[in-house]
Amino acid sequence: MAHAPVQQPLGLRERKKAQTRRLLIDTAVELCLEQGYENTTVDQITHAVEVSPRTFSRYFTSKEGVFVAIVDDLSDEITAELLRQPSDLGPMESLRAAHVSVLTRVAERRPIAGLTAERIAMMLHVVSSCHTLRQAAMEYRSPAAMAVLAERMGVTPDDKRLELAVAMFATAIVTACVDVAAADPDVAFGPDFVRDRLEKAMADLASFVGELQTTS
């Protein structure tokens, strides 16, 4: 079984860059919660953080990129967790187990760089209110995670079966979490919510697949 690489401590410059990145993300999410995603601009984000738009562009290519960055942080942890999963698991079960493991760690406040229960909760609030972000979340693919899954399946990362498995998983988790969240403003967002909705969605998906009649 492959092992996740050991991360080296960040230097002072890297720590400052990481701090600015976290501040831009948190400020963008907070502004979007207050006034809506469509009504929030990059200029408003940079003004609140007291940095220039040019500085913003060093971290993100667009406003949407801020939210993709949160998914990137989660994806990095998911990829590391995929490497720890038993080699005999299929792609969807590997993804399910990796997500559950990471979300459990976040919920239990165990250190994960860039990820907190509060950040996940805020992201769900914003994504649930914006069709563009929901679609981006479903279409998101991590090259690193795809490479790990492809190696497990013995296929190339652009294999159609792998893409089908990942597309089904992504659609299931986004629909299960975001659609429920959007319909009920009193939902308690956070990693526990995502984990519980994911488990239910996977059970439903397994049931649906089991009902299919295939021909040889």
Side-chain angles (χ1 to χ4, degrees):
M1 180 169 57
H3 296 282
V6 177
Q7 294 184 344
Q8 298 299 320
L10 296 177
L12 178 60
R13 183 180 179 184
E14 288 73 20
R15 290 200 302 272
K16 287 183 176 179
K17 289 175 64 176
Q19 183 180 20
T20 300
R21 180 179 181 272
R22 286 195 299 270
L23 186 56
L24 285 168
I25 291 174
D26 289 341
T27 301
V29 173
E30 289 171 2
L31 286 173
C32 288
L33 284 174
E34 291 174 5
Q35 57 194 30
Y37 177 79
E38 300 296 341
N39 296 325
T40 301
T41 66
V42 170
D43 284 343
Q44 290 172 338
I45 298 169
T46 56
H47 178 74
V49 180
E50 298 183 341
V51 299
S52 68
R54 183 176 180 180
T55 297
F56 179 93
S57 67
R58 292 173 186 162
Y59 296 87
F60 311 108
T61 58
S62 65
K63 181 176 61 175
E64 180 180 305
V66 175
F67 293 89
V68 173
I70 302 177
V71 180
D72 280 337
D73 288 339
L74 177 60
S75 180
D76 288 345
E77 294 298 328
I78 295 299
T79 301
E81 194 61 43
L82 281 172
L83 291 167
R84 302 185 184 100
Q85 300 305 312
S87 59
D88 59 344
L89 293 183
M92 293 189 70
E93 178 59 20
S94 294
L95 284 168
R96 184 203 68 79
H99 276 74
V100 168
S101 177
V102 171
L103 290 167
T104 298
R105 285 163 57 199
V106 175
E108 294 175 351
R109 309 275 179 180
R110 285 185 272 165
I112 296 183
L115 287 174
T116 64
E118 291 77 16
R119 181 172 284 184
I120 289 177
M122 289 194 300
M123 182 184 69
L124 280 174
H125 270 291
V126 177
V127 173
S128 68
S129 68
C130 179
H131 173 75
T132 300
L133 292 178
R134 290 198 300 272
Q135 192 63 35
M138 281 192 273
E139 295 175 356
Y140 177 88
R141 299 290 184 271
S142 163
M146 294 292 282
V148 172
L149 293 170
E151 183 178 357
R152 284 170 169 268
M153 294 177 65
V155 300
T156 59
D158 61 351
D159 184 85
K160 289 185 177 180
R161 290 177 300 161
L162 173 58
E163 173 58 29
L164 176 61
V166 175
M168 290 174 64
F169 184 90
T171 301
I173 188 172
V174 172
T175 300
C177 295
V178 174
D179 285 5
V180 171
D184 186 354
D186 295 325
V187 166
F189 291 134
D192 286 329
F193 170 80
V194 179
R195 183 184 57 203
D196 293 345
R197 295 307 305 181
L198 171 61
E199 293 284 41
K200 184 178 187 305
M202 290 297 99
D204 289 340
L205 185 57
S207 176
F208 297 150
V209 172
E211 295 172 355
L212 289 175
Q213 295 184 6
T214 59
T215 58
S216 57

